[in-house]
Amino acid sequence: MPASERLRAKLALAEPALRASTAVLWRAEGLLPRYRAYLCAMHTVIRASVPLMERAAERAASRARRGDPLGAPLAAYLHDHIREEAEHDSWLLDDLTAAGSGPRAALDPVPPPLVASLAGAQYYWIEHHHPVALLGYIAVLEGHAPASGLAPRLARLTGLPAPAFRTVHEHARLDDGHAGELYALLDRLPLSRGHEAAVAVSALHTTDALTQLFVRLGRTGPAPPVRGAGRSVPTGGQV
């Protein structure tokens, strides 16, 4: 079984809880304020992506110079992916503005501890174990792209304009291909059992932290200040 299939098999055990949390997150009742809270939370996650990859690429290049066979191909992949992911955090700030809030709604509050755990664990593994662990994080974030019909459905239920859903729309379009590239890389890399374990632990931690984050958003979803965007959300039914 290729390394990518082994990782998929492990993630399959944790994915039902993640799918259940997103189903609650996108239910119709109270969706408008919850969507604004989702944008704020995802900005705190996504703004860490490029800095994480930059540091992992530096560590991978350093390992390559010391003879690590994973170093050069890992660094090359990360440099390419950094270019693909650039400015995605800015998309979320633009979405927030279109949704009736401003950038400060995401930038001013202290990021939740779950987000610090989600990204902070990657920094630890990059610095103190091996940067290959970051591939598990990327596999989860890009392997759970929004469904292609989610953006128009959210627009219909919230009454927000199409520009409020750019990030959801673009990630539905792009992330499936990105996930395929990552899994192909896993199958090309000369991974040891220890390397595979690092990727799997990172991926399972990421899945668990995202699930907890979405559960909390689904329960509370406080709205940032509204400036006249959107309409009331229907109170019944599921998305």
Side-chain angles (χ1 to χ4, degrees):
M1 183 184 292
S4 62
E5 292 302 316
R6 287 192 290 271
L7 179 61
R8 290 180 195 269
K10 292 172 182 141
L11 287 175
L13 300 175
E15 285 173 345
L18 180 57
R19 288 195 295 269
S21 71
T22 56
V24 173
L25 176 65
W26 299 133
R27 70 189 187 279
E29 183 179 4
L31 180 57
L32 180 56
R34 200 164 55 251
Y35 178 64
R36 292 191 180 106
Y38 165 83
L39 291 176
C40 291
M42 291 312 296
H43 180 267
T44 65
V45 174
I46 299 301
R47 72 189 183 200
S49 294
V50 167
L52 276 171
M53 289 188 289
E54 288 174 339
R55 185 55 184 153
E58 291 172 2
R59 297 290 290 173
S62 175
R63 284 178 168 270
R65 290 191 292 270
R66 300 197 303 270
D68 186 336
L70 268 63
L74 179 58
Y77 165 81
L78 290 168
H79 284 305
D80 286 343
H81 203 53
I82 286 166
R83 288 191 289 270
E84 293 170 346
E85 296 296 315
E87 304 300 326
H88 287 201
D89 55 331
S90 297
W91 295 0
L92 285 154
L93 297 181
D94 293 341
D95 291 352
L96 268 169
T97 299
S101 301
R104 304 318 315 175
L107 297 172
D108 287 348
V110 176
L114 274 173
V115 172
S117 172
L118 178 68
Q122 303 306 317
Y123 281 110
Y124 184 91
W125 288 321
I126 289 166
E127 294 292 340
H128 301 294
H129 186 59
H130 197 292
V132 75
L134 188 63
L135 297 183
Y137 177 86
I138 297 171
V140 172
L141 292 183
E142 299 202 335
H144 295 85
S148 59
L150 181 60
R153 184 180 299 175
L154 295 178
R156 174 174 57 82
L157 288 169
T158 62
L160 293 173
F165 304 98
R166 178 186 180 185
T167 303
V168 171
H169 173 76
E170 290 295 330
H171 279 258
R173 184 176 66 86
L174 296 172
D175 281 359
D176 187 55
H178 289 173
E181 293 170 2
L182 183 141
Y183 281 116
L185 173 68
L186 286 175
D187 291 338
R188 292 196 309 271
L189 290 175
L191 298 173
S192 69
R193 293 179 66 180
H195 295 139
E196 282 198 48
V199 173
V201 169
S202 170
L204 291 169
H205 171 77
T206 302
T207 303
D208 181 62
L210 276 181
T211 300
Q212 293 184 58
L213 181 62
F214 291 162
V215 165
R216 293 193 181 188
L217 286 171
R219 288 174 180 167
T220 57
V226 180
R227 293 200 292 271
R231 59 169 171 79
S232 298
V233 180
T235 58
Q238 297 289 318
V239 176

